[in-house]
Amino acid sequence: VVVWDANSGHPVRTLEGYINGTTAAARYSSDGRWIGVAFNSTVKFGRYEYIGEIAIFDAESGRRTLTLKQEEGEVSCLGFSPDGKMLVSGGKNGEILLWERAGESIQLKIPGHMGSVRICDFLQNGKFIVTAGEDRWLRIWDLEGTLINCAPFPQDILTADVHPTQLSIVIGDSVGYVHLFELIGLN
């Protein structure tokens, strides 16, 4: 992962991941202090195994401060809580994992989607997680893993982002539309 200076167009630093691996997602924390990167690699031990890892880097120095190992399969997306103390990750196996950034253990596992989780992030109030999957479902979860609300989506969800100060989400789909959802009643 390369961090670029937007004014000069020059690289500022390179964040090291896996050799011969792929970068699935890269996100800044809302305060800009941390960069979370999801890496995946394939290893062969008689059969192919897919290994996922989330690395947390100090945005100023580029130093890796924490490594979180995905238990099964590859990581497909990640997001920081608004206070930067928690992470959510989604896997290609459909699982959603909640991590405490201070520790290396999984706090909560949610069997969230059929197929890959494409989008996962915290809402701006830090009380809920929003996810979207290959199964074309948009879901909202509380931090206990309880499904609060869900909605089917007619097209493949390719990208999304949560508004930094409001309870709303923007979604880009596979047929070229952008959808804006205001999330009511989640205070």
Side-chain angles (χ1 to χ4, degrees):
V1 174
V2 180
V3 179
W4 297 84
D5 182 305
N7 294 321
S8 70
H10 298 318
V12 177
R13 70 187 47 83
T14 299
L15 308 176
E16 297 292 329
Y18 280 133
I19 304 297
N20 298 325
T22 59
T23 303
R27 298 288 299 265
Y28 273 102
S29 61
S30 59
D31 63 5
R33 186 170 175 204
W34 309 103
I35 299 172
V37 181
F39 298 107
N40 294 304
S41 184
T42 307
V43 179
K44 186 175 182 183
F45 297 113
R47 63 181 178 86
Y48 284 101
E49 256 184 64
Y50 300 97
I51 299 169
E53 179 178 288
I54 298 168
I56 308 300
F57 296 90
D58 180 285
E60 184 68 30
S61 69
R63 183 178 59 83
R64 186 186 286 222
T65 61
L66 183 64
T67 300
L68 305 170
K69 300 281 187 188
Q70 181 93 1
E71 288 181 350
E72 296 176 13
E74 297 175 271
V75 182
S76 54
C77 55
L78 66 98
F80 281 96
S81 63
D83 64 7
K85 294 180 180 179
M86 298 182 83
L87 285 160
V88 61
S89 67
K92 289 192 176 182
N93 62 0
E95 252 184 2
I96 300 155
L97 303 176
L98 190 62
W99 308 79
E100 194 172 336
R101 205 193 79 222
E104 295 185 25
S105 62
I106 296 167
Q107 300 299 305
L108 181 66
K109 271 189 200 185
I110 306 169
H113 291 273
M114 298 298 292
S116 184
V117 181
R118 294 207 170 138
I119 310 298
C120 63
D121 207 353
F122 286 84
L123 293 179
Q124 61 84 21
N125 63 8
K127 297 177 185 176
F128 302 98
I129 298 166
V130 63
T131 64
E134 186 177 43
D135 57 6
R136 294 183 174 181
W137 279 89
L138 178 68
R139 294 190 166 108
I140 299 172
W141 312 87
D142 68 13
L143 299 185
E144 307 288 315
T146 303
L147 182 62
I148 301 300
N149 207 339
C150 61
F153 212 76
Q155 296 88 19
D156 288 335
I157 298 170
L158 299 181
T159 188
D161 200 12
V162 173
H163 194 284
T165 61
Q166 298 173 10
L167 288 171
S168 62
I169 183 171
V170 62
I171 295 175
D173 68 26
S174 61
V175 294
Y177 287 97
V178 177
H179 310 268
L180 181 62
F181 293 93
E182 186 175 341
L183 305 171
I184 299 169
L186 292 177
N187 294 325

